[in-house]
Amino acid sequence: MSRPASPTPPGRLQPKRGALTPTLIVVALVVVGFIFFANVWTDVLWYQQLGFFEVFLTENLARIGIFAAGFALMFAGVFFAIRIAYHARPVYAPDSEIRDNLNRYQAQLEPVRRVVMIGLPVLFGLFAGSAASSQWQKVLLFFNQEPFGQNDPEFGLDISFYLMTLPFLGFIVGFLISVAVVAGIAGILTHYLYGSIRIMERGIFTSRAAQIHLAVTGASFLVLLGINFWLDRYAAVQNSNGRWAGALYTDVNAVIPTKAILAVAAVLVAILFIVAAVIGRWRLPLIGTAMLVITSILAGGVYPWVIQQFQVRPSEQTLENEYIKRNIGMTRAAYGLDQVTVDRYNATTNATTGALAKDAQTTANIRLLDPNLISDAFSQLEQYRPYYQFPKSLNVDRYMVDGKVQDTVIAVRELNPDGLSPDQQSWLNRHVVYTHGYGVVAAKGNKFTADGKPEFLQSGIPSTGVLGTDETYEPRIYFGEDSPEYSIVGAPEGAPNREQDRPSGRDTGGETQYTFTGNGGPNVGSFLNRVLYSIKFQSSDLLLSDGVNEASQILYERNPRDRVEKVAPYLTVDGNAYPAVVDGRVKWIVDGYTTSQYYPYSQQAQLSDATADSQTTAGRSVALPNSTVNYIRNSVKATVDAYDGSVTLYAWDDQDPLLKAWQKVFPTSLKPYSEMSAGVMSHVRYPEDLFKVQRELLGRYHVTDPVSFYKNDDAWSVPNDPTVSEEVKQPPFYMSLQMPGQQKPAFQLTSSFIPQVVDGNARNVLYGFLAADSDAGSQKGVKAESYGKLRLLQVPPEAQVPGPGQAQNKFNSDPTVSQALNLLRQGASDVLNGNLLTLPAGGGLLYVQPVYLRSTGETSYPTLQRVLVAFGDKIGFAPTLDEALNQLFGGDSGAAAGDSANNGQTPPAAGGGGTPAPGTTDARAELKAALAEANAAIKAGQEALGKGDFAGYGEQQKKLNAALQKAIDAEAKIAATTPASGPSPSATPAPTPSS
């Protein structure tokens, strides 16, 4: 036999195998591994610097441990299933066409058989381990659970069983079932591939070894299925598929008993499989399996359906009464509604003279500044530089001013890197030079200047006012809601300052420089750390720039909510963090919730839906995730320092069993609220998102009588926000308010209720008013007993008190108001309706709405020009709230509003006094006369139009145009004789005097 010719010519060396491909693979693996290491190690540095390394370590060790366990179980199940099936293959098999095909498959598989027998279990193990590791919270809660001290009404088990034990057991059983199924399929395919299972003309042939293997797998699956059936009995009390949550009549009398029967039946059939594997007879287990399937269909589906349709539905109210009562009681307990104080409020709709005398303190505190509209005014008056900004929605808080609590609209002046000109948008400017915002700006909530501007309590650069100065509090804002992605700060002692700090005062001009001196982020001085963070942020500049030195720190994850979520991953964080000046620092206060979806008999709520309102729709507040809960507690109050980003977590609801369990998991990450300073305590508020969830549930669960609850004859809805065009809920409002029965006003979060809205139709009359006491006191570590008290005023339906929608319609349709606002709009200005506040005052419900005017210029901002008030069917409309209330209540409301000092004033001149500038008096008189002429022309024109007199209507339009031209000319005279006032946004004004 001749040898085949060599493909290599004689005399040439045989080429070696190329090393390029293995080298590229190794390099790729090294690169991927180093990127993974960079992300992990930078997280380690971040947690260590912040002091929460325990959280990172515990969470990731738990994830790794659970991943390893999940991987091992799935790997072992699939590996041994394949291995046992392979070793049980027959040595000889009869030839057939099918056998020939299998022989070809075996021949193709044989070169890589060992790789497949290891690789396939590894692949399934990786998937299973990853899925299992995501359940780390269930595992940790199970091993650190705390009792609730309260039992469920069906099985008498402690609530902790349902929140911390049952989810873990369900996870374990579900995971083992998936292992049994995957391993069983892998075993069957291997048996078939190697001939232990064959499809023949007379049926299916299985070898003795394959029968034993399949019997054991089937028995394991059935035992796990039986355990799952048994656990389903307890899960019935968490059922949310019916009209009411929990185990109802059909569940208790049909579903739960049949689940027990199915559990026992599954175990019996599993025993039959084991017996069949021993004796080799398969008729009984096959019959048992068929019977189990039929029983599960009949007992698990048909029987409960029959009970529901033919026994429950005809007598539903009677049979479900006990279970509705359970649902009401457990839902109210799960959401904290069982602590609501309910009072009947016989509201009057008659506005009598002096009616507000008993509500003098409430009247004086009524808020006029709308935090959603006033942001532009803050920007134009207090921004100073284009690289500063204010949020779209400001926050409402309170401060002690001259010995009295003052409602305050507050914001921080944050950095806006996008405000730099295009030629300044370099990496060095964005990450090294422009690093922080500067100062707090606050205005009185119940007052404004005579020309409609906010009356500032804290303002200016340098920062001055009643909240402090640059010497008494740290004004620099490195951590905020709009901070840059990352900044490089810090320098060795004696090095020149590189950070843009703030504009200097008028006298010196220029800009000041600064160097961060705190401990706000991981050090990037070493070469390794610079490389790691260059990879993390994909920036070569970070590695090469001379803006990074041996003392540099990198600040990132700067949003207060994000920082709290990262150091407390078990919390759901409120959508609204707010700043407060406390203890010489600006601190962000963030509310955190422990939640669960496993509370028995509690109605479930979708967080994103329950907390949605006009604020979240407009993007002014962060929407909560689309997760389902049926238990919620405001268990944690967190503070984030705006200068160095330090996070402090306080165990606020220290009686919450879920929080107690997490404290066992992370023993050093939370502090008791007894360590909370007096300053922080005085600015704690009742959280908005918890309040929104509670008011959503309270719309139905204020009813405690199961008969009335079944009829749904007294359900309420949260009214839509009448100040926006979309049909979205009205947000709750913070205000200082004295509720009926209270001894003094308190800072409260409020909302109102109208009859239930069905298909968009509802009677917009007021049925309820809810207030949550937000005053936690001002003593270090002492929580006021009244804090968190929910008070509900139920208004009798026969009172016919207008709801927010009706009040807004009265404002919009009133001829006097409409004509006055139309005149304001004629001057190329926009009229903006502020938030519509509802207050129980004067023996009824008082509505207050500020009205703002905004011109169409680029640098314009809203100024408060009028105030609308309503009580019953009467309305008032005046330049000040005090005047409007006096109009409403027969000439004398009986109390003075916060803006009473502005009554009768004209806008001040540039000199700051109330006297008009020379030459403006006549022009103002001309303007007033022109507006009166225009008003008369509008009325006459409408009357002519109503009579069909189009010629008369045209004549009045000519008069209207002439009057408007006179008004424009008069305005021009006023502008020409009045010096410009107010600081330019790009200039540095003198500090605003404190109040």
Side-chain angles (χ1 to χ4, degrees):
M1 181 181 294
S2 62
R3 299 178 63 185
S6 173
T8 305
R12 183 175 295 179
L13 294 175
Q14 184 77 17
K16 296 181 179 180
R17 286 185 178 273
L20 180 60
T21 300
T23 301
L24 291 176
I25 293 174
V26 171
V27 170
L29 290 175
V30 169
V31 170
V32 171
F34 191 75
I35 293 174
F36 176 77
F37 169 76
N39 283 282
V40 171
W41 190 247
T42 51
D43 273 351
V44 169
L45 295 176
W46 188 87
Y47 278 98
Q48 282 183 331
Q49 182 276 324
L50 203 55
F52 285 88
F53 183 65
E54 171 196 61
V55 175
F56 175 84
L57 190 64
T58 302
E59 177 184 345
N60 284 281
L61 286 179
R63 287 180 178 273
I64 292 170
I66 298 168
F67 174 87
F71 175 87
L73 285 172
M74 182 61 78
F75 175 86
V78 176
F79 175 78
F80 285 110
I82 295 174
R83 184 179 179 85
I84 290 170
Y86 175 75
H87 284 291
R89 68 191 186 282
V91 179
Y92 301 102
D95 293 332
S96 67
E97 182 179 350
I98 296 177
R99 189 67 229 160
D100 290 341
N101 291 330
L102 292 177
N103 286 337
R104 285 197 296 271
Y105 294 148
Q106 291 174 19
Q108 294 173 359
L109 180 64
E110 189 60 29
V112 293
R113 177 178 57 81
R114 294 182 182 275
V115 175
V116 172
M117 291 181 68
I118 297 294
L120 201 61
V122 166
L123 182 62
F124 280 108
L126 290 174
F127 283 117
S130 298
S133 67
S134 65
Q135 305 297 312
W136 65 276
Q137 293 194 14
K138 292 180 180 178
V139 176
L140 291 182
L141 278 180
F142 172 75
F143 287 107
N144 296 276
Q145 58 184 280
E146 283 282 321
F148 273 68
Q150 177 188 0
N151 297 335
D152 81 282
E154 178 60 29
F155 295 101
L157 298 174
D158 190 89
I159 301 299
S160 62
F161 171 79
Y162 298 96
L163 270 67
M164 306 182 203
T165 300
L166 190 59
F168 171 77
L169 296 179
F171 157 62
I172 294 297
V173 172
F175 184 83
L176 292 177
I177 287 176
S178 66
V179 171
V181 170
V182 173
I185 294 174
I188 291 173
L189 291 177
T190 306
H191 279 300
Y192 177 76
L193 181 62
Y194 286 97
S196 297
I197 298 176
R198 298 195 299 274
I199 300 175
M200 306 177 67
E201 294 181 358
R202 291 177 295 177
I204 299 175
F205 167 79
T206 55
S207 68
R208 177 65 176 160
Q211 291 178 5
I212 295 174
H213 185 186
L214 296 180
V216 172
T217 302
S220 301
F221 172 78
L222 287 168
V223 169
L224 292 170
L225 188 63
I227 296 173
N228 196 58
F229 279 135
W230 189 260
L231 294 178
D232 282 346
R233 297 168 61 251
Y234 302 108
V237 300
Q238 301 167 332
N239 180 29
S240 60
N241 296 324
R243 290 180 60 186
W244 308 280
L248 305 179
Y249 182 89
T250 301
D251 298 307
V252 172
N253 294 280
V255 175
I256 292 176
T258 55
K259 291 291 185 181
I261 294 171
L262 289 172
V264 174
V267 173
L268 291 176
V269 175
I271 295 173
L272 292 179
F273 268 87
I274 299 299
V275 171
V278 175
I279 65 177
R281 297 181 180 178
W282 292 90
R283 179 170 296 179
L284 283 178
L286 293 177
I287 293 174
T289 301
M291 291 301 297
L292 180 63
V293 172
I294 294 172
T295 303
S296 64
I297 294 173
L298 294 177
V302 176
Y303 176 60
W305 181 84
V306 171
I307 294 295
Q308 181 67 30
Q309 294 296 316
F310 299 103
Q311 184 175 352
V312 176
R313 286 190 64 183
S315 307
E316 188 174 50
Q317 180 176 329
T318 303
L319 295 180
E320 300 288 20
N321 188 75
E322 176 186 352
Y323 308 104
I324 294 174
K325 188 182 297 184
R326 293 180 181 182
N327 171 247
I328 294 172
M330 299 297 279
T331 299
R332 287 171 62 87
Y335 290 96
L337 303 179
D338 52 345
Q339 304 300 316
V340 177
T341 299
V342 182
D343 293 308
R344 182 181 175 90
Y345 188 56
N346 295 311
T348 180
T349 55
N350 295 322
T352 58
T353 302
L356 297 182
K358 294 181 180 179
D359 301 292
Q361 294 186 69
T362 296
T363 305
N365 286 319
I366 294 175
R367 179 168 53 78
L368 295 172
L369 292 191
D370 184 346
N372 302 320
L373 295 181
I374 208 68
S375 175
D376 285 344
F378 272 49
S379 296
Q380 289 298 320
L381 298 173
E382 289 292 328
Q383 182 173 317
Y384 292 99
R385 292 290 188 270
Y387 53 79
Y388 289 137
Q389 64 178 330
F390 289 97
K392 290 193 295 183
S393 179
L394 312 185
N395 284 284
V396 179
D397 201 354
R398 71 282 192 199
Y399 286 85
M400 191 66 69
V401 179
D402 296 331
K404 296 181 180 180
V405 175
Q406 172 69 59
D407 283 10
T408 306
V409 177
I410 188 170
V412 294
R413 190 184 289 108
E414 291 204 51
L415 183 68
N416 177 24
D418 293 332
L420 299 175
S421 60
D423 59 343
Q424 290 179 297
Q425 295 285 349
S426 65
W427 180 90
L428 192 71
N429 271 343
R430 293 183 67 90
H431 298 288
V432 178
V433 177
Y434 292 92
T435 59
H436 61 276
Y438 196 92
V440 167
V441 178
K444 295 179 180 180
N446 62 340
K447 297 183 180 182
F448 56 95
T449 64
D451 55 348
K453 297 175 184 175
E455 186 171 314
F456 291 108
L457 289 166
Q458 188 77 23
S459 60
I461 292 180
S463 184
T464 58
V466 298
L467 308 188
T469 65
D470 285 7
E471 287 72 34
T472 60
Y473 87 98
E474 174 54 69
R476 295 169 182 87
I477 310 298
Y478 282 90
F479 293 84
E481 294 178 308
D482 294 300
S483 296
E485 181 184 15
Y486 68 93
S487 293
I488 308 297
V489 299
E493 187 175 350
N497 298 325
R498 303 193 66 167
E499 298 178 49
Q500 175 69 29
D501 191 30
R502 62 171 175 81
S504 296
R506 286 186 186 274
D507 298 335
T508 58
E511 309 288 329
T512 63
Q513 306 297 311
Y514 182 74
T515 298
F516 180 78
T517 59
N519 180 20
N523 180 274
V524 285
S526 68
F527 178 75
L528 175 61
N529 285 1
R530 290 176 70 170
V531 170
L532 296 178
Y533 277 104
S534 297
I535 293 173
K536 181 179 182 68
F537 293 108
Q538 301 178 18
S539 171
S540 59
D541 294 298
L542 199 157
L543 179 64
L544 304 174
S545 173
D546 65 350
V548 185
N549 55 66
E550 65 271 16
S552 290
Q553 302 173 41
I554 183 167
L555 313 182
Y556 62 102
E557 298 287 357
R558 300 165 75 174
N559 187 295
R561 294 183 68 259
D562 295 343
R563 290 177 82 79
V564 174
E565 285 178 338
K566 200 165 181 179
V567 301
Y570 50 89
L571 294 178
T572 299
V573 177
D574 191 89
N576 187 16
Y578 60 99
V581 180
V582 293
D583 307 326
R585 313 283 280 201
V586 178
K587 291 183 182 289
W588 295 93
I589 300 178
V590 186
D591 287 284
Y593 310 114
T594 45
T595 62
S596 177
Q597 58 178 326
Y598 301 113
Y599 201 92
Y601 277 102
S602 178
Q603 197 70 30
Q604 292 190 342
Q606 205 81 7
L607 282 182
S608 58
D609 293 340
T611 59
D613 58 20
S614 58
Q615 291 286 83
T616 58
T617 303
R620 300 189 186 104
S621 182
V622 178
L624 290 193
N626 188 27
S627 57
T628 301
V629 303
N630 65 3
Y631 172 88
I632 185 169
R633 290 290 185 271
N634 178 210
S635 53
V636 172
K637 299 282 188 184
T639 62
V640 179
D641 193 294
Y643 182 74
D644 62 19
S646 57
V647 179
T648 306
L649 304 178
Y650 296 100
W652 186 250
D653 187 353
D654 51 8
Q655 300 305 308
D656 175 32
L658 278 181
L659 182 65
K660 288 182 178 180
W662 286 118
Q663 284 181 292
K664 291 168 68 175
V665 176
F666 306 112
T668 66
S669 65
L670 285 107
K671 294 182 178 181
Y673 75 81
S674 59
E675 296 185 20
M676 185 181 287
S677 71
V680 175
M681 188 71 74
S682 64
H683 292 283
V684 164
R685 304 188 312 193
Y686 197 84
E688 286 184 72
D689 284 329
L690 172 62
F691 186 79
K692 292 178 189 177
V693 172
Q694 289 177 319
R695 71 174 183 176
E696 188 72 16
L697 271 296
L698 200 61
R700 288 199 66 195
Y701 286 89
H702 69 277
V703 177
T704 55
D705 175 46
V707 175
S708 177
F709 191 89
Y710 174 84
K711 295 177 181 177
N712 201 33
D713 57 2
D714 191 23
W716 300 343
S717 291
V718 177
N720 287 333
D721 190 342
T723 64
V724 299
S725 57
E726 299 87 358
E727 290 189 358
V728 291
K729 297 170 191 169
Q730 188 179 42
F733 299 116
Y734 287 104
M735 65 181 83
S736 287
L737 172 70
Q738 184 173 346
M739 290 283 284
Q742 279 188 291
Q743 300 302 315
K744 59 180 181 179
F747 192 65
Q748 315 219 33
L749 184 58
T750 65
S751 185
S752 56
F753 296 97
I754 62 173
Q756 186 177 38
V757 177
V758 179
D759 296 329
N761 298 316
R763 293 176 60 236
N764 206 289
V765 293
L766 206 71
Y767 269 23
F769 181 84
L770 179 67
D773 196 315
S774 296
D775 188 359
S778 57
Q779 296 184 44
K780 179 181 184 299
V782 179
K783 188 193 308 184
E785 292 184 4
S786 61
Y787 173 83
K789 184 72 174 177
L790 292 169
R791 295 179 175 87
L792 176 64
L793 301 181
Q794 283 190 300
V795 181
E798 61 270 17
Q800 295 292 308
V801 176
Q806 282 190 12
Q808 188 68 59
N809 287 336
K810 288 180 185 296
F811 293 154
N812 295 342
S813 60
D814 184 87
T816 303
V817 173
S818 179
Q819 289 170 9
L821 296 183
N822 284 335
L823 285 174
L824 293 175
R825 293 188 182 98
Q826 295 285 352
S829 298
D830 294 326
V831 174
L832 306 175
N833 290 327
N835 43 208
L836 182 60
L837 304 180
T838 309
L839 306 92
L845 275 302
L846 173 67
Y847 290 98
V848 177
Q849 183 176 58
V851 179
Y852 293 84
L853 186 66
R854 178 174 185 161
S855 64
T856 55
E858 291 184 2
T859 59
S860 64
Y861 56 89
T863 57
L864 197 152
Q865 296 296 318
R866 297 288 187 274
V867 181
L868 285 160
V869 293
F871 192 95
D873 293 327
K874 292 183 64 178
I875 68 169
F877 181 58
T880 66
L881 173 61
D882 194 69
E883 292 179 13
L885 291 175
N886 287 333
Q887 285 181 18
L888 186 65
F889 291 97
D892 181 15
S893 68
D899 64 346
S900 58
N902 288 354
N903 289 345
Q905 285 195 28
T906 56
T915 304
T920 62
T921 305
D922 293 340
R924 291 188 187 281
E926 291 175 13
L927 175 61
K928 185 175 180 180
L931 292 176
E933 291 178 17
N935 191 20
I938 291 175
K939 290 182 179 179
Q942 293 297 324
E943 291 176 2
L945 193 61
K947 297 176 182 178
D949 183 4
F950 295 103
Y953 176 74
E955 185 64 29
Q956 294 302 325
Q957 287 297 106
K958 293 179 181 178
K959 292 182 179 180
L960 173 62
N961 291 333
L964 290 177
Q965 185 59 50
K966 291 180 182 179
I968 293 172
D969 294 341
E971 282 187 337
K973 290 180 182 179
I974 294 172
T977 56
T978 302
S981 62
S984 169
S986 61
T988 305
T992 302
S994 61
S995 171

